[in-house]
Amino acid sequence: MKKSLLYFSGLFAVAVLFSNCASLTGFQDGRTVGKDRADLTASLNFSQSPDFNDWEDQNDSITTDIPNFYFPNIEFGGRYGVAENVDINMKINSNLNLNVGAKVQVFGDRESQTALAIGLEVGTFGLVSGLWNVQIPVNFSVHPSEKFTWYLSPRFIYQFTAYTGAENGLNYFGGNTGLFFGNRHKFGIDVGYYNVGNSDTDGNIGLLQVGIGGRFSLNRD
């Protein structure tokens, strides 16, 4: 019983670590907001822990399967257009993740039915934790009308600690997809999936995140 409790506690700690290490939310389409324009985003997200059933336990006395956990977090973000096709953005969530970055629209404009943008973000967990990540998202979106948007955002994330350097960090490969509804203010759903691993591991761990949120324009038009 004591060994089972210790095993469960260890896996729970790993789950918390993975759920808090990097923001995996989407809610980003391929359009930029436009020069001197801004909006705010708020979302409620549920992040999946590692799949414990894929972790082999060498202790024969422990036979109980450990289920996945889903950790809720609330995230707030904002973006501001420093040029017609360049945004700067920031987001922070209740898991103590902070991200800052920029997005450049390379195809389409604010009114085109298809849009593509490339971004770069830097994030940290807890500000003083020494845990950092660099994210490279590609945001593609289709806008059949101004009241409906579908987006697909592949993303690569590299996570490392400042104390040990950038070597042997974690690689996240995956992306987000979702829908926006609404005209000036938009509401939507976001789903993300990522495989996490590094060069020292034989396999990857899958992480799933689902969120609902809204984007609120700060502009009069």
Side-chain angles (χ1 to χ4, degrees):
M1 179 65 180
K2 184 176 181 180
K3 290 183 178 180
S4 298
L5 181 60
L6 290 174
Y7 177 71
F8 179 83
S9 299
L11 291 183
F12 185 80
V14 171
V16 172
L17 178 64
F18 270 89
S19 68
N20 286 333
C21 284
S23 172
L24 303 181
T25 54
F27 297 105
Q28 282 284 344
D29 56 36
R31 290 178 175 178
T32 49
V33 70
K35 183 175 174 55
D36 296 328
R37 298 171 63 86
D39 60 30
L40 298 176
T41 302
S43 61
L44 172 64
N45 309 281
F46 296 87
S47 303
Q48 181 190 31
S49 70
D51 187 350
F52 295 132
N53 293 326
D54 289 341
W55 291 29
E56 295 184 1
D57 178 28
Q58 302 300 322
N59 190 335
D60 294 337
S61 65
I62 301 174
T63 60
T64 302
D65 287 339
I66 306 298
N68 290 354
F69 294 92
Y70 287 85
F71 294 87
N73 73 77
I74 299 173
E75 186 166 275
F76 298 97
R79 58 177 182 160
Y80 176 78
V82 296
E84 194 64 25
N85 63 337
V86 181
D87 288 349
I88 56 173
N89 54 71
M90 182 182 72
K91 57 185 179 181
I92 187 169
N93 66 29
S94 58
N95 286 346
L96 302 182
N97 287 297
L98 173 66
N99 277 54
V100 294
K103 181 173 76 174
V104 179
Q105 187 170 348
V106 296
F107 179 81
D109 54 35
R110 288 175 51 208
E111 298 180 352
S112 60
Q113 289 191 336
T114 57
L116 178 68
I118 299 175
L120 178 64
E121 298 179 8
V122 177
T124 182
F125 168 60
L127 294 179
V128 296
S129 68
L131 191 62
W132 293 84
N133 65 81
V134 177
Q135 306 192 15
I136 304 176
V138 177
N139 306 120
F140 171 76
S141 58
V142 178
H143 308 259
S145 74
E146 290 304 311
K147 295 183 178 181
F148 177 79
T149 300
W150 169 75
Y151 63 84
L152 177 66
S153 301
R155 181 165 30 167
F156 168 73
I157 304 172
Y158 186 71
Q159 179 178 293
F160 61 95
T161 64
Y163 307 113
T164 60
E167 295 182 0
N168 300 318
L170 289 176
N171 300 304
Y172 292 64
F173 292 97
N176 298 69
T177 187
L179 302 171
F180 276 125
F181 303 92
N183 193 359
R184 182 165 177 259
H185 304 305
K186 300 179 182 295
F187 300 89
I189 183 171
D190 177 79
V191 178
Y193 184 81
Y194 292 83
N195 281 317
V196 185
N198 65 15
S199 58
D200 295 330
T201 58
D202 294 330
N204 294 328
I205 296 172
L207 298 178
L208 175 68
Q209 175 158 303
V210 178
I212 55 174
R215 175 186 290 173
F216 308 97
S217 175
L218 299 182
N219 314 291
R220 293 184 178 181
D221 57 341

